[in-house]
Amino acid sequence: PPNQDFQASEPLDVIFVSTPMGIGVSINHTPIGATPLRSQLAPGTYQLTFHGQQSVTQEISVDPTQKNRWKFDKATQSIR
């Protein structure tokens, strides 16, 4: 039988976008690129940081039942 634990930890597509584009993105304090950005993360909880004039960090959950897409709006300094 397939190993359920292994399947649950397979990386999922994640997407990070921002207004304006070109804002740096870090996961758990490690830079991974700039928006728009597509990456892969195993399911779990992470610290997502968008780096603008001020950095904004939010805890996110990567979940196989969700869209796994986050958008940063520089004007409102919000992640949704």
Side-chain angles (χ1 to χ4, degrees):
N3 182 332
Q4 294 301 318
D5 289 339
F6 175 74
Q7 289 191 341
S9 65
E10 293 216 343
L12 301 171
D13 286 330
V14 292
I15 298 172
F16 305 101
V17 295
S18 65
T19 306
M21 292 188 297
I23 291 177
V25 178
S26 293
I27 294 293
N28 293 345
H29 312 291
T30 300
I32 61 168
T35 59
L37 179 63
R38 178 185 295 268
S39 189
Q40 289 198 319
L41 292 172
T45 302
Y46 298 89
Q47 292 292 320
L48 166 64
T49 303
F50 285 97
H51 299 281
Q53 290 171 320
Q54 299 165 313
S55 295
V56 177
T57 300
Q58 180 172 308
E59 189 171 274
I60 61 167
S61 291
V62 175
D63 183 327
T65 67
Q66 301 298 318
K67 286 189 306 186
N68 298 312
R69 180 183 185 276
W70 291 272
K71 180 175 184 179
F72 174 67
D73 187 327
K74 184 178 176 186
T76 61
Q77 295 286 298
S78 64
I79 299 172
R80 55 182 173 81

